[in-house]
Amino acid sequence: GNSVTQMEGPVTLSEEAFLTINCTYTATGYPSLFWYVQYPGEGLQLLLKATKADDKGSNKGFEATYRKETTSFHLEKGSVQVSDSAVYFCALIEYQTGANNLFFGTGTRLTVIP
Amino acid sequence: DAEITQSPRHKITETGRQVTLACHQTWNHNNMFWYRQDLGHGLRLIHYSYGVQDTNKGEVSDGYSVSRSNTEDLPLTLESAASSQTSVYFCASSDSTGANVLTFGAGSRLTVL
């Protein structure tokens, strides 16, 4: 079946530090991969996505590369800001098997301190 | 601007009572979803709908029901609320183009005493 595993949080970083949040997935076909972000008190919103192997999604300084050989989609940012404090969710969707729904990881809480 | 609205935002109820959480979207999206968010579990799919009169069970559907009588609304009903249903509930919608980017509501926090 489909599943997403992401690194346990919480993650606490100083401003301008480098961020990596690991995400690996299990899927029977060729999923599309997503990172969603949830700011305090809000719903989730799409951060970036990649639809096929070796695609790189990017947005707001965040990047993630779809690695089929390692079944990974790690989120990175070179220099985090206090405003990046949020919960980050890795997710996948697999159309080919008819599973037209997103499977989410458990979320990783990031806190950036000044 | 188009939006997706959930109500109520906060609800406290007692065990055994029926509760309905409303979700209304003005994106004209065909697909609508209900998730619950719990610590250590992330988001889990409760029910979803691909169009009017279509409803499907998700991963954790027991104790919940939905109905889709129009494009805009997908209310979630807890027939007999249980303490295990204390959670934050998110409604989401997406179009049918295949991009499957979900737009989420702000969430409804339900406490069952």
Side-chain angles (χ1 to χ4, degrees), chain B residues 34-36 44-47 57-58 60-61 64 76 89:
Chain B
W34 274 104
Y35 290 88
R36 60 178 288 175
R44 291 181 292 175
L45 184 64
I46 305 172
H47 281 285
K57 293 182 178 180
V60 290
S61 60
Y64 303 94
L76 177 71
Y89 293 86

Side-chain angles (χ1 to χ4, degrees), chain B residues 65-111:
Chain B
S65 63
V66 294
S67 61
R68 187 89 181 270
S69 58
N70 57 51
T71 300
E72 296 79 20
D73 299 289
L74 187 71
L76 177 71
T77 297
L78 287 69
E79 301 292 344
S80 177
S83 57
S84 60
Q85 295 176 308
T86 293
S87 186
V88 180
Y89 293 86
F90 286 98
C91 181
S93 68
S94 68
D95 65 23
S96 302
T97 62
N100 267 284
V101 173
L102 295 188
T103 300
F104 281 83
S108 295
R109 181 177 294 277
L110 176 68
T111 302

Side-chain angles (χ1 to χ4, degrees), chain A residues 36 38 43-44 89 95 100-101, chain B residues 33 37 50 90 98 100 102 105:
Chain A
Y36 278 79
Q38 183 181 28
L44 281 71
F89 292 90
Y95 306 101
N100 198 24
N101 304 302
Chain B
F33 307 83
Q37 183 180 26
Y50 290 149
F90 286 98
N100 267 284
L102 295 188

